[in-house]
Amino acid sequence: MNHHPKTLATRPLRLLSGIALALLVASGAALADPAQAPAQGVAQPLVLLAHQQLLEGDLASAQALLREAGAQGQGGTRALAEQGFIEDAGGRHMRARQFYDALKGSDQAAVIALPSAVNLAALGRFEQAGKAFAQLQKSSPNPQLQAYAGFWNLWLSARQASDAGVKPDVVKARVAKLARSIKPVDEHQRAMLALFQGKSDSSAVFAQIDGLQAPDAVKRDLRTEAGLFAGGYLDYVRQDHAGALRLYERALQQSRPTAMERPQLIQSSRALQLSSR
């Protein structure tokens, strides 16, 4: 996001995309007001600056700030989490996995929970990713993050069923059943849910985003999110591969380096491009 962390921390949650939820809501007090946060696990100023650069897509500056933080004895476990985010954003998912695994059970567990689950999907470890998203959907204290994790589970279910050669009608019924467990908290999520329930189409999802009274940067992130999930519905449920590719490409053109959905968008787009040759 192109906003100061404190601004985002007080912004209504309905305007936050997946990356903002993962990196801002989960970190809560430390990002909103480091001076007020508990001493244990609090990120130091240079780490918070690195975090902001990451959100703005400047990975080189974020990395340089983390190095400086380390040289000055700042950061601790929060710096490790930020390094994992940078590795993922740079496409080095195996390297990011090492940081997430090292932070399991630490004071950063809530901060890395969603990025770690997305990382597992990027690595093709779909069974593990599904379990991680299911846990987030069940136990996250944030309702929007619960629903977001639910959409990832729908995507995973459709993807795995399609890969296994399950008939489209069966996949559609399976996904519609799973969709009942999702509790959307805003109109964007309601539009997405209607799509997976077979009650709407992808154009309605993007029309809802276009009509939002929100900064363009927020709309870009939400279109990226919709590109993956709505594109996945077309790709794996409807078997409309040409339509899915158009959504993937549209989302990639607008996405930022830090978009959580970007690795899967790239993989899905390339897979369709290769299959059409």
Side-chain angles (χ1 to χ4, degrees), residues 44 74 87 105 124 137 139 164 170 177 198 222 238 242 253 259 265:
Q44 298 297 320
Q74 296 184 21
E87 299 294 347
Q137 189 178 0
S139 63
V170 176
K177 182 178 180 181
L222 291 177
R238 292 277 303 277
Q253 288 172 4
L265 279 169

Side-chain angles (χ1 to χ4, degrees), residues 226-262:
L228 178 65
F229 296 142
Y233 183 81
L234 293 181
D235 199 352
Y236 308 125
V237 181
R238 292 277 303 277
Q239 302 289 304
D240 178 3
H241 303 307
L245 183 58
R246 286 194 294 271
L247 288 191
Y248 294 152
E249 292 299 312
R250 173 183 177 182
L252 280 171
Q253 288 172 4
Q254 294 200 350
S255 68
R256 311 181 196 209
T258 52
M260 300 192 76
E261 303 83 9
R262 186 173 175 82

Side-chain angles (χ1 to χ4, degrees), residues 46-275:
L46 286 173
V47 179
L48 291 178
L49 288 174
H51 173 85
Q52 182 64 20
Q53 292 302 309
L54 170 68
L55 291 180
E56 294 178 0
D58 189 346
L59 303 185
S61 293
Q63 186 66 78
L65 284 164
L66 281 187
R67 291 196 188 98
E68 187 178 350
Q72 295 187 21
Q74 296 184 21
T77 53
R78 182 49 196 264
L80 293 179
E82 294 292 339
Q83 187 64 54
F85 303 151
I86 290 172
E87 299 294 347
D88 253 341
R92 299 177 293 275
H93 306 305
M94 284 297 296
R95 178 65 175 159
R97 185 76 250 152
Q98 296 175 8
F99 287 96
Y100 299 146
D101 286 344
L103 290 167
K104 286 181 179 178
S106 73
D107 59 303
Q108 297 298 307
V111 177
I112 68 167
L114 181 57
S116 175
V118 175
N119 171 270
L120 289 170
L123 290 172
R125 293 160 63 171
F126 294 147
E127 291 294 334
Q128 291 174 281
K131 291 178 181 178
F133 285 123
Q135 182 62 32
L136 279 167
Q137 189 178 0
K138 177 182 178 181
S139 63
S140 172
N142 183 278
Q144 189 181 7
L145 199 152
Q146 288 179 14
Y148 179 75
F151 285 117
W152 268 103
N153 261 332
L154 290 181
W155 183 89
L156 283 166
S157 178
R159 166 71 186 268
Q160 290 176 288
S162 179
D163 288 351
V166 178
K167 294 181 179 179
D169 287 346
V170 176
V171 180
K172 184 177 180 180
R174 185 180 300 179
V175 166
K177 182 178 180 181
L178 282 174
R180 297 173 194 163
S181 67
I182 296 179
K183 299 177 181 179
V185 300
D186 56 37
E187 292 304 318
H188 167 64
Q189 291 185 340
R190 290 187 186 94
M192 191 78 71
L193 185 62
L195 174 67
F196 277 93
Q197 290 175 326
K199 300 176 181 179
S200 183
D201 57 31
S202 59
S203 63
V205 176
F206 286 94
Q208 194 283 324
I209 296 172
D210 291 342
L212 277 176
Q213 296 298 313
D216 184 64
V218 174
K219 289 185 178 183
R220 285 180 58 195
D221 287 345
L222 291 177
R223 291 187 192 110
T224 303
E225 179 182 319
L228 178 65
F229 296 142
Y233 183 81
L234 293 181
D235 199 352
Y236 308 125
V237 181
R238 292 277 303 277
Q239 302 289 304
D240 178 3
H241 303 307
L245 183 58
R246 286 194 294 271
L247 288 191
Y248 294 152
E249 292 299 312
R250 173 183 177 182
L252 280 171
Q253 288 172 4
Q254 294 200 350
S255 68
R256 311 181 196 209
T258 52
M260 300 192 76
E261 303 83 9
R262 186 173 175 82
Q264 284 299 338
L265 279 169
I266 293 172
Q267 292 180 25
S268 298
S269 176
R270 286 177 178 171
L272 285 183
Q273 289 173 351
L274 289 173
S275 66

